[in-house]
Each structure stands twice: as structure tokens, then as C-alpha cells.
Amino acid sequence: MIIDIVSPEPSVPKDPIDIPDNNFLFKFIKDNNINNYHLMRSWKHSKTHQEIIDRERWIIFNKDNKLFYKIGIIPLSNDTITFLNNAHFSNHLVSATPSTIKSSQPNGDIFSNILLTETNENVIFDVIKSIMLELKWVNTEAKRIFSNRKYLDLRFDWFGPNMVYDKNTKKITSIDFEDVQWVSKDEYNAIMIKRLIQALDNWSIYYSVFNTIYYNYNIINYLNYCKNFIENEI
């Protein structure tokens, strides 16, 4: 069956893909009575048709109830399910089963859409500060839900299409969840800084903010802010 793959960025055209009728996607859609939907593009690099099919994971957007479903063949870990079902998310509803993460649509706009036109460098710093607050929230919730554990990494990557930014509240909401992992403090610090460097590099492909990130060594100021926050606040 031919299904449209839709990018979070409206400037990217739909990409129809022929999915075999026996793919687990169609069983999920039937079992959950989903009739009006499209699939979300959820890979960062170009893939062949077979590579897309072989990923064995899909993100479905139900146009009727505005819910996202991230489904996969490989079961989620018990800790991932426990966290997603018990954390107090502030901007949307999230729940999980071994094969599915369901979430509502947060307030705001996909951050990559904002990057297409935004030139105000304050927005970039507001997003970075909000990312830090989100990391702190994750580990505050992890301490409430679990006991005597290390640092929880929800494996957000903060690429433009994977966050929603609300200009009114100046807050981001990460919307792409992976299996959680527990790490030591040193591992956590290193992972987050590496991921932030990758995110800033991703944002810089949008011409409107390239100069904001690199002009007058702003990227170094951003990373120093994040390093100090992660070391002292989380």
C-alpha cells in the first residue's frame, strides 16, 4: 500500500512509499481504528525504500484525535515504560506500552519551522536554557519515580524536527522518545555536551541562525552555559 511520509517541515514535499501489506503497521492501524492518518518522517539521513521498511518502526499521526503513535517491533524497556507512564509532563500527555509510545500534540511549533525564518539570537539562547530545564526536570522526575538510581538519559537529540517551541512561554518540548539509559554523572555530562554540539550543528544548517550560532564565538558561550548548568544544577 502506498502511504505518504510527511516531514514536520512544511517546505519538504510529501514522500509516498509503498509498504508491504503484511507490515505490522497495518495491524496496528486496524487494531486501533485509525482511519485518517499519515506517517511522519523520522530519519535524519537519506534511506533507500528497503532501509525504511527494514527499520521496523513508524511514527503515525492520527489526524482525527491529533495523537502521535511511535510503534516498533523491539519492545521498550520496563524503565522506559515506567517513566513515560508516571512522569508529569507539562505540555502534553504521554503514555507507553512495550510496543507503543502515544503522545498528544504540544502547544507551539516544530522548532525547525521556526529556524527557517527566525533571526533573533535571543530565541536560540531561550531554547538552550529551556533544554537545560527539561534535562533537570527529567532527572527530578526520575528521582521521584525510581530510587537509588544513576542519571537518567531519555536520549533526546534536540534536532529541529524533534522539538516543539512555544514562543509565548519560551519553552521547548522534546517529542522524540527512545529507550532510556542509566549513566554515571561523568558519562551524563559528556553525553549531553556531545549531543548539544550535534544539535547546534544541526540548527546551523538553517541559514537564518547560522551567524547567530557562530558569530563572536556564541557557540562557545552556549556550551559553557550548558556545561556549568549540567555540572551544578542536575
Side-chain angles (χ1 to χ4, degrees):
M1 182 182 296
I2 296 179
I3 305 292
D4 281 337
I5 303 290
V6 177
S7 170
E9 300 176 11
S11 60
V12 177
K14 295 179 180 179
D15 183 18
I17 182 172
D18 190 3
I19 303 174
D21 291 343
N22 63 351
N23 190 278
F24 74 100
L25 164 70
F26 298 113
K27 182 179 187 305
F28 178 87
I29 288 170
K30 180 180 179 182
D31 290 347
N32 289 273
N33 297 314
I34 299 174
N35 299 307
N36 186 22
Y37 69 95
H38 59 236
L39 301 179
M40 302 297 298
R41 180 182 173 91
S42 58
W43 47 92
K44 301 176 183 67
H45 307 291
S46 297
K47 294 183 180 293
T48 66
H49 173 270
Q50 193 59 48
E51 285 174 332
I52 295 172
I53 301 299
D54 290 344
R55 292 175 79 248
E56 296 188 328
R57 55 194 299 192
W58 303 102
I59 298 178
I60 305 161
F61 180 65
N62 187 333
K63 298 179 185 179
D64 292 328
N65 59 16
K66 309 300 183 185
L67 291 177
F68 293 93
Y69 300 85
K70 184 173 185 177
I71 64 174
I73 293 293
I74 300 174
L76 298 168
S77 69
N78 289 336
D79 283 351
T80 301
I81 296 169
T82 298
F83 183 86
L84 294 179
N85 284 336
N86 291 279
H88 298 154
F89 291 88
S90 62
N91 196 24
H92 61 159
L93 301 175
V94 179
S95 61
T97 68
S99 62
T100 307
I101 298 174
K102 180 172 70 173
S103 60
S104 61
Q105 192 168 13
N107 294 325
D109 192 10
I110 295 293
F111 186 51
S112 55
N113 294 339
I114 294 171
L115 287 171
L116 291 171
T117 57
E118 187 57 64
T119 57
N120 184 349
E121 68 179 62
N122 292 331
V123 170
I124 300 299
F125 195 34
D126 286 341
V127 168
I128 290 171
K129 288 187 287 186
S130 185
I131 286 174
M132 292 298 99
L133 291 174
E134 185 178 62
L135 289 179
K136 184 174 183 178
W137 170 83
V138 167
N139 277 282
T140 299
E141 287 294 277
K143 291 174 184 176
R144 180 181 66 82
I145 297 168
F146 305 97
S147 59
N148 300 321
R149 302 299 294 268
K150 296 181 180 180
Y151 287 80
L152 183 69
D153 175 18
L154 268 181
R155 298 170 67 187
F156 297 142
D157 67 14
W158 306 306
F159 280 32
N162 294 336
M163 294 190 300
V164 168
Y165 179 65
D166 187 339
K167 286 189 174 182
N168 294 322
T169 62
K170 299 182 179 180
K171 291 183 179 180
I172 61 99
T173 303
S174 294
I175 56 175
D176 185 28
F177 300 100
E178 302 285 349
D179 245 346
V180 304
Q181 60 179 352
W182 295 96
V183 295
S184 68
K185 177 63 171 174
D186 288 343
E187 290 171 324
Y188 184 87
N189 293 356
I191 289 169
M192 294 307 145
I193 292 300
K194 177 181 178 181
R195 220 170 274 162
L196 284 160
I197 292 172
Q198 293 171 334
L200 286 164
D201 186 57
N202 170 260
W203 302 352
S204 71
I205 67 175
Y206 299 87
Y207 180 77
S208 62
V209 297
F210 180 88
N211 288 338
T212 297
I213 292 174
Y214 289 107
Y215 184 69
N216 284 343
Y217 303 103
N218 277 343
I219 188 170
I220 296 176
N221 296 330
Y222 297 150
L223 291 174
N224 281 336
Y225 172 84
C226 294
K227 177 179 180 292
N228 290 332
F229 189 98
I230 292 169
E231 290 179 349
N232 298 309
E233 298 291 335
I234 300 177

